[in-house]
Amino acid sequence: MTKFRFIILAVILFLFSACSVQFNRSNSNNTPLKNENVSAAKAEPTKEVSANANSENQNSQKDPTADNSSCYKLKRDDLILDKKQTFVVDFKPFEKSCFVTFHDPEFDNPALGSQFYIYKNGKEVFNFPEQFGGANTSCWVDGVAFEDLNNDRLTDIIVVGKCGAKMGEYNENMVYLNNGKGFVTNVNSNAETMDFSKTSQIKEFVTKNPELFSK
């Protein structure tokens, strides 16, 4: 009787051990599949974001002086072109044109006797009125900005002008409003900007005092 109980107990232990081994094998086979799926899900989005970032960086790289070279070839009798104050412009009514500054060839630093125009296809198409208040012999262009100053969707022009040279320079700034056919200016209104030496200062003054420049 004792031997019979011992045999039954041994059979039960054997069956329990076999079930435990089978259960462990089943779990070990499922684990690698779970880890493989998680790894694949994380890798793909990272690669896509990196590609987009590289594309944006390439598109943002531009040469700001490349287009101006076409304007640098322009000439005018008895004057020399000032490359620092010559720019391509592309707005109404002067699409695909050049804002060109010339000066007396005998003076380069500063560029005295400055005069500025709009050229298109190699020819003068606009001569700005009242340059430097009507006298430019001892004056030069120190900066230019192209901005819509009065919210009419037309590009206006700010010219930072200086006169006097070594005798004591002073500001002679000019604001030219675009009327769709050309540019107009007001000498008295321009005189209100004489305290400013930067285009940003003049722009701020004009936008705060539009009535002075709309006459």
Side-chain angles (χ1 to χ4, degrees), residues 112-166:
L112 301 181
S114 288
Q115 303 173 34
F116 44 94
Y117 309 86
I118 298 290
Y119 271 68
K120 185 171 185 176
N121 298 325
K123 298 181 179 180
E124 177 193 326
V125 293
F126 188 78
N127 184 352
F128 287 86
E130 301 294 343
Q131 297 188 22
F132 304 100
N136 70 330
T137 303
S138 63
C139 303
W140 68 97
V141 176
D142 196 52
V144 181
F146 307 93
E147 304 270 0
D148 180 3
L149 301 174
N150 52 5
N151 297 317
D152 61 356
R153 297 185 180 181
L154 293 173
T155 300
D156 309 305
I157 299 178
I158 296 172
V159 178
V160 177
K162 292 186 180 296
C163 300
K166 294 181 180 180

Side-chain angles (χ1 to χ4, degrees), residues 7-69:
I7 292 172
I8 292 175
L9 180 61
V11 170
I12 292 173
L13 291 174
F14 177 81
L15 294 175
F16 179 81
S17 177
C19 291
S20 176
V21 170
Q22 183 65 27
F23 178 79
N24 290 336
R25 286 180 180 177
S26 177
N27 285 344
S28 63
N29 289 337
N30 291 335
T31 302
L33 293 177
K34 183 177 180 181
N35 290 341
E36 183 178 356
N37 291 338
V38 171
S39 177
K42 290 182 178 179
E44 188 61 28
T46 303
K47 183 177 181 181
E48 183 177 353
V49 171
S50 177
N52 290 339
N54 289 337
S55 176
E56 290 174 0
N57 289 338
Q58 290 176 357
N59 292 336
S60 65
Q61 294 177 359
K62 297 180 180 180
D63 182 357
T65 62
D67 294 334
N68 290 342
S69 60

